[in-house]
Amino acid sequence: MEEKLLRSVKAVLEKHQQIHDKQIQYGTAGFRTKGSLLESVMFRMGLLGVLRSKLKNATVGIMITASHNPEEDNGVKLVDPMGEMLEEEWEILASQLANVSDNQVLSTMESIIRDCSVDLKTSSSVFLAYDTRQSSLHLAQAVIDGVQSLEGHVENFGILTTPQLHYLVRCKNTNEQYGESSEEGYYRKLSKAFLHLRTVGTSKENYQPSLNLDGANGVGALKMKIFQKYLGEGLNVTIFNDGIKGKLNHMCGADFVKVQQKIPEGIPVEPDVRCVSFDGDADRVVYFYVDENQKFHLLDGDKIATVVTAYLKDLLSAAGIDLNLCIVQTAYANGSSTYFISEILKVPVVCVPTGVKHLHHRAQQADIGVYFEANGHGTVVFSDKTIEKLETVVKSLSRPEQKKAAQKLMDVINLINQTVGDAISDMLLVETVLHDRGWSVADWDQIYKDLPNRQLKVMVADRKVITTTDAERRCVTPDGLQEAINSLISKYSCSRAFVRPSGTEDVVRVYAEATTQEHADMLAYEVSKKVYQLAGGVGSEPQPPV
């Protein structure tokens, strides 16, 4: 590095000294821990963002958020030029830079510059945004200090949803071919496609264009208030948990609804009313409702993936286009959804390890790749070949119904945020499908019945003692754990269970499903107890379900 830059970085580094006392790792969601410990990490990610931008000769993004985590947490992740997650090799570099002592920062940077052949003379551009956490504004300044100490250019967009930042980065690096690189451009692109798909009107058969939104007291609620005016009468969204009174992600939000399988606090309980929950940074979405008997029904990422896949398959058939349509799932996908997609819809299903980067990468290998984690994070990606074929049909002398179906697919592509899971975009996609089908939320729920399931977590001294294979469906270590799980599974008909280490904290996540909720709950407890016994559990031993 030039002496001038060395002095500049060193001077600012003294303002953002390291205070976290344990190793933190850059995972699928970037870095996550208590917000009070992250100032030095933010500064260093500002430095890394400049180096990444110079290497790619493109704009990169830095998003400050801890998504569905509690309000006192925070985190940071880098966004690559096409709006994608940071590539794996640079995740390792991010972890190295975040964890070295203050006096090793400069030498670590010089190693990255040398090993990755970064040309410091290349200009750099970093887009920055953050969520609504109290710590975010202070941490954003640390990022800005990092970028500017390396003489990089930073554009601070302030409070955005995570998907909006991913979108802006991609727009910028495609010379706005993907869309206008502004928050308003995001609203305009999505609303135009959504309203165009609703040319037959708003109400249709059992579908009514209104729903209740649980905004998790996060940024998604703020942005939906803005977006509502772009939708006009196309969709009426009543927003609850909008951040005015409640605490971020506390007893509400997509993760709470999915894991606890119950209605979030702060939202009215009305029979057969369609409800939707975002998470704290609006990259996850799940639906739910209660029936006339006050029974809770969850429509999670699996149900979203299924209804979207069926819709896309029907449009492809109507357009007379033969393309490779594939759905990508993780081990968390409900067994009923996998059966329905592969055996009823006859669409190929691929299972990959948990984590958006694995799902997104595999989905890109298909002409049309649909992926949704059960937690509600997902999107659809379309190849250039797919878009070319659709454009050909629209411009050709094909039958009117074929051209109409192809144009619908083109509008759907514009409606979807292909860069990453996007709660707003995905919600509009689901609403488009339900409107087209003329379905109520109960009609959608009835396409298949989920197997009862339960998710638990077990605190352990070191999550690394758990290793897995077969897309995380089988446990390799510690010795004897998988055998114990197999024995427990054999006690319950049509059941399955798996365990995997958390990517962000020292806990082991346990998933179980069976033909009854009682059996799923008991299986999850019994597996959790074995994890506690064989994998170094700490704290209180798991207790049987009440």
Side-chain angles (χ1 to χ4, degrees):
M1 288 174 60
E2 297 176 3
E3 187 64 30
K4 178 185 175 184
L5 285 180
L6 281 171
R7 287 197 305 270
S8 174
V9 173
K10 189 174 182 179
V12 184
L13 176 62
E14 293 179 0
K15 292 172 49 183
H16 304 290
Q17 294 182 11
Q18 188 180 72
I19 59 173
H20 66 88
D21 58 358
K22 67 175 184 178
Q23 293 280 308
I24 58 175
Q25 298 297 315
Y26 192 106
T28 298
F31 292 111
R32 291 214 185 142
T33 188
K34 301 300 180 187
S36 58
L37 302 176
L38 281 170
E39 184 176 336
S40 68
V41 175
M42 295 292 175
F43 172 73
R44 297 171 190 206
M45 290 307 100
L47 299 175
L48 193 70
V50 173
L51 299 183
R52 184 67 176 164
S53 174
K54 288 177 179 292
L55 177 69
K56 304 301 286 187
N57 194 21
T59 295
V60 301
I62 297 181
M63 183 72 201
I64 299 174
T65 181
S67 187
H68 58 279
N69 282 32
E71 188 171 13
E72 59 270 20
D73 289 356
N74 217 321
V76 60
K77 61 180 180 179
L78 273 67
V79 180
D80 261 353
M82 290 306 289
E84 297 172 324
M85 300 292 184
L86 183 66
E87 69 177 47
E88 199 161 350
E89 292 81 358
W90 276 66
E91 289 183 6
I92 297 170
L93 298 178
S95 296
Q96 290 174 350
L97 186 59
N99 288 294
V100 296
S101 62
D102 289 335
N103 60 16
Q104 293 176 303
V105 169
L106 295 177
S107 60
T108 302
M109 285 177 57
E110 289 184 316
S111 294
I112 295 171
I113 293 166
R114 181 183 64 251
D115 296 343
C116 298
S117 301
V118 178
D119 183 358
L120 291 178
K121 294 184 177 63
T122 303
S123 62
S124 64
S125 169
V126 176
F127 281 5
L128 171 67
Y130 44 87
D131 69 13
T132 56
R133 294 166 198 271
Q134 290 186 0
S135 60
S136 290
L137 190 60
H138 172 70
L139 295 177
Q141 186 58 54
V143 172
I144 293 169
D145 289 350
V147 173
Q148 293 180 341
S149 70
L150 265 184
E151 299 182 351
H153 175 74
V154 59
E155 188 165 352
N156 184 2
F157 286 90
I159 295 175
L160 290 179
T161 70
T162 293
Q164 285 178 327
L165 181 66
H166 284 255
Y167 168 89
L168 294 178
V169 170
R170 182 162 179 167
C171 289
K172 179 68 173 180
N173 289 310
T174 58
N175 293 320
E176 298 199 334
Q177 290 182 5
Y178 186 69
E180 182 186 334
S181 185
S182 68
E183 184 179 348
E184 186 177 359
Y186 168 91
Y187 298 133
R188 280 202 291 256
K189 179 182 178 182
L190 268 62
S191 61
K192 179 181 178 182
F194 177 73
L195 295 173
H196 195 249
L197 285 160
R198 294 210 161 190
T199 51
V200 297
T202 53
S203 299
K204 185 180 178 183
E205 299 173 29
N206 292 336
Y207 178 84
Q208 294 299 320
S210 60
L211 55 80
N212 291 337
L213 167 65
D214 161 28
N217 294 311
V219 62
L222 298 181
K223 300 309 179 182
M224 272 308 302
K225 288 180 180 180
I226 298 171
F227 199 15
Q228 185 73 62
K229 66 183 181 182
Y230 290 86
L231 297 175
E233 297 181 358
L235 183 66
N236 179 33
V237 182
T238 305
I239 303 171
F240 300 90
N241 296 326
D242 60 1
I244 294 176
K245 296 180 181 179
K247 187 176 180 181
L248 179 67
N249 293 324
H250 180 66
M251 305 296 288
C252 62
D255 189 64
F256 173 85
V257 173
K258 169 61 180 172
V259 174
Q260 300 298 325
Q261 298 188 31
K262 62 182 182 181
I263 295 169
E265 290 186 356
I267 195 164
V269 180
E270 304 172 71
D272 296 318
V273 172
R274 198 165 65 256
C275 301
V276 62
S277 278
F278 292 174
D279 67 336
D281 67 335
D283 67 356
R284 294 184 184 185
V285 60
V286 297
Y287 277 74
F288 63 93
Y289 72 103
V290 294
D291 61 26
E292 64 275 8
N293 299 315
Q294 296 297 301
K295 181 182 178 182
F296 173 81
H297 296 258
L298 172 68
L299 296 95
D300 61 9
D302 295 334
K303 277 277 172 73
I304 294 173
T306 303
V307 77
V308 167
T309 300
Y311 179 65
L312 293 174
K313 184 183 179 185
D314 288 350
L315 286 180
L316 285 172
S317 177
I321 299 174
D322 183 21
L323 290 168
N324 170 24
L325 172 63
C326 172
I327 184 163
V328 187
Q329 293 185 327
T330 71
Y332 284 108
N334 193 277
S336 289
S337 74
T338 306
Y339 177 85
F340 184 86
I341 293 163
S342 59
E343 301 301 323
I344 307 301
L345 295 182
K346 302 296 183 183
V347 173
V349 178
V350 179
C351 187
V352 299
T354 305
V356 178
K357 62 185 178 184
H358 303 297
L359 291 142
H360 195 88
H361 177 71
R362 182 58 182 86
Q364 287 178 314
Q365 297 176 32
D367 293 329
I368 302 177
V370 181
Y371 73 84
F372 276 87
E373 293 182 287
N375 63 27
H377 188 289
T379 188
V380 186
V381 293
F382 299 86
S383 67
D384 291 340
K385 170 186 171 184
T386 298
I387 295 172
E388 290 169 4
K389 279 199 170 187
L390 291 172
E391 289 175 342
T392 298
V393 173
V394 170
K395 296 174 183 177
S396 70
L397 298 176
S398 302
R399 296 192 304 274
E401 59 269 26
Q402 285 182 298
K403 297 178 72 168
K404 181 180 178 181
Q407 184 58 59
K408 261 191 176 183
L409 274 167
M410 293 293 290
D411 288 331
V412 167
I413 291 172
N414 285 324
L415 179 62
I416 293 170
N417 186 349
Q418 295 185 59
T419 63
V420 73
D422 183 336
I424 294 175
S425 170
D426 291 339
M427 179 188 74
L428 296 179
L429 175 61
V430 170
E431 294 300 314
T432 294
V433 178
L434 297 183
H435 173 261
D436 194 76
R437 304 291 202 210
W439 284 355
S440 67
V441 67
D443 294 331
W444 171 23
D445 194 24
Q446 291 167 11
I447 60 176
Y448 69 83
K449 185 177 180 180
D450 277 327
L451 284 168
N453 58 88
R454 180 63 64 199
Q455 293 185 49
L456 298 174
K457 61 182 180 180
V458 182
M459 292 183 64
V460 293
D462 181 7
R463 67 182 183 270
K464 297 187 186 70
V465 300
I466 298 281
T467 59
T468 62
T469 188
D470 188 24
E472 301 179 314
R473 289 176 288 191
R474 288 187 57 80
C475 186
V476 177
T477 61
D479 290 341
L481 180 55
Q482 185 60 51
E483 289 76 9
I485 294 172
N486 292 343
S487 178
L488 293 171
I489 291 172
S490 68
K491 294 167 55 178
Y492 306 98
S493 64
C494 300
S495 65
R496 72 182 181 98
F498 68 90
V499 301
R500 57 177 289 271
S502 166
T504 57
E505 54 185 330
D506 278 325
V507 301
V508 177
R509 304 198 184 278
V510 175
Y511 177 88
E513 66 183 27
T515 52
T516 69
Q517 191 63 57
E518 181 183 8
H519 286 177
D521 291 346
M522 184 56 69
L523 178 57
Y525 154 68
E526 291 174 336
V527 171
S528 296
K529 188 173 180 179
K530 284 297 180 183
V531 170
Y532 184 90
Q533 293 170 346
L534 299 177
V538 297
S540 301
E541 185 172 295
Q543 297 299 305
V546 178

